[in-house]
Amino acid sequence: MTAPADLTKVLIVEDHRVVAEGLWALLAEYSDLTVVGWADSVAEVVPMAKELGPDVALVDFRLPDGTGADAAAAIRANDPSTAIVILSADASDSALLAAVEAGACGYLLKSASGDEIAAAIRSAAEGETLIPASTLVEVLARHRENARSSAQQTERLESLTPREQEILTLMSQGLDNRAVAERLSISYATVRTHVRKILEKLEVRSQLEAVAKAADWGFRHVEPDE
């Protein structure tokens, strides 16, 4: 499909046909925009972009063979002049960062209005970055804090001795201290000492909280030696 030079050419990258057709019909309402094609996967993006030479690619973040970030990187590797606007239901910081790192200049949620999508496409075609620097600063700060917190959680779990891991596993299975002592053939006092150490290392106040936090942090159960 060819388009007049004064129109902004848009390539839709969306794996759901109904959504793609809806976007196509929506963008047809704007006289300065024209949809030149539709790709439904990362694999299809590059050959279509090469053939159609879009000014802007409007890309879903979740595709059957990858992400919108993968599609964005592939498109821009072929032609860095093609602007990328991600349109997604995923509002997570990780998705936004992945899109930015792949070269996307805009990130819209699928709840955006037609006018918002059209405006984003126009701005992207003009070379504008649609993601405010302040937003990126906030997202990066949260990302660093989450990474730091995750590292601390992993460190705390790894600080548990093999015996403490066994006891935590049995606690998560609903065994009380006496049942744990019997299962492991150790004294009740020894179990209480281990439990106290587990609470200290995980920085919690109760066994129930220890079990909940460990599960949330991805603790893998260790089956006690018989």
Side-chain angles (χ1 to χ4, degrees):
M1 182 186 300
T2 59
D6 59 338
L7 296 183
T8 297
K9 296 180 292 183
V10 182
L11 171 65
I12 294 172
V13 184
E14 165 65 58
D15 62 318
H16 292 96
R17 186 180 188 91
V18 171
V19 177
E21 290 177 345
L23 287 171
W24 199 313
L26 172 70
L27 296 179
E29 298 295 320
Y30 298 90
S31 60
D32 59 327
L33 307 178
T34 182
V35 177
V36 293
W38 163 46
D40 63 5
S41 65
V42 176
E44 196 175 17
V45 158
V46 172
M48 290 204 72
K50 284 182 177 179
E51 177 185 353
L52 302 171
D55 300 304
V56 179
L58 185 63
V59 185
D60 183 19
F61 194 77
R62 300 298 176 190
L63 297 168
D65 56 347
T67 68
D70 298 326
I75 292 169
R76 289 182 60 78
N78 170 66
D79 184 356
S81 69
T82 303
I84 309 294
V85 174
I86 299 293
L87 183 63
S88 178
D90 189 341
S92 67
D93 287 350
S94 60
L96 174 58
L97 286 175
V100 171
E101 289 172 354
C105 63
Y107 195 101
L108 296 176
L109 294 181
K110 286 189 173 179
S111 57
S113 68
D115 285 346
E116 289 173 330
I117 294 172
I121 290 172
R122 294 187 189 106
S123 296
E126 293 297 320
E128 297 179 19
T129 298
L130 310 176
I131 303 169
S134 58
T135 298
L136 284 179
V137 169
E138 292 174 3
V139 169
L140 286 169
R142 287 196 297 268
H143 180 71
R144 285 193 294 269
E145 177 58 27
N146 290 338
R148 185 183 67 82
S149 178
S150 178
Q152 289 180 340
Q153 293 167 6
T154 299
E155 184 178 350
R156 289 176 189 173
L157 289 177
E158 291 180 346
S159 73
L160 299 174
T161 66
R163 177 62 87 187
E164 289 165 355
Q165 292 178 34
E166 291 177 343
I167 291 175
L168 182 56
T169 296
L170 294 176
M171 285 164 50
S172 69
Q173 294 172 357
L175 277 66
D176 60 23
N177 288 355
R178 294 194 183 280
V180 170
E182 182 177 348
R183 173 69 181 276
L184 298 178
S185 300
I186 57 179
S187 72
Y188 174 71
T190 299
V191 171
R192 289 189 61 185
T193 298
H194 283 306
V195 169
R196 187 166 59 251
K197 288 292 186 182
I198 291 170
L199 301 188
E200 289 175 358
K201 290 179 178 180
L202 300 186
E203 296 186 4
V204 295
R205 297 181 179 181
S206 69
Q207 291 179 234
L208 182 60
E209 188 180 0
V211 168
K213 269 199 173 181
D216 185 51
W217 295 351
F219 173 68
R220 295 185 179 182
H221 290 184
V222 176
E223 289 303 319
D225 295 330
E226 296 295 339

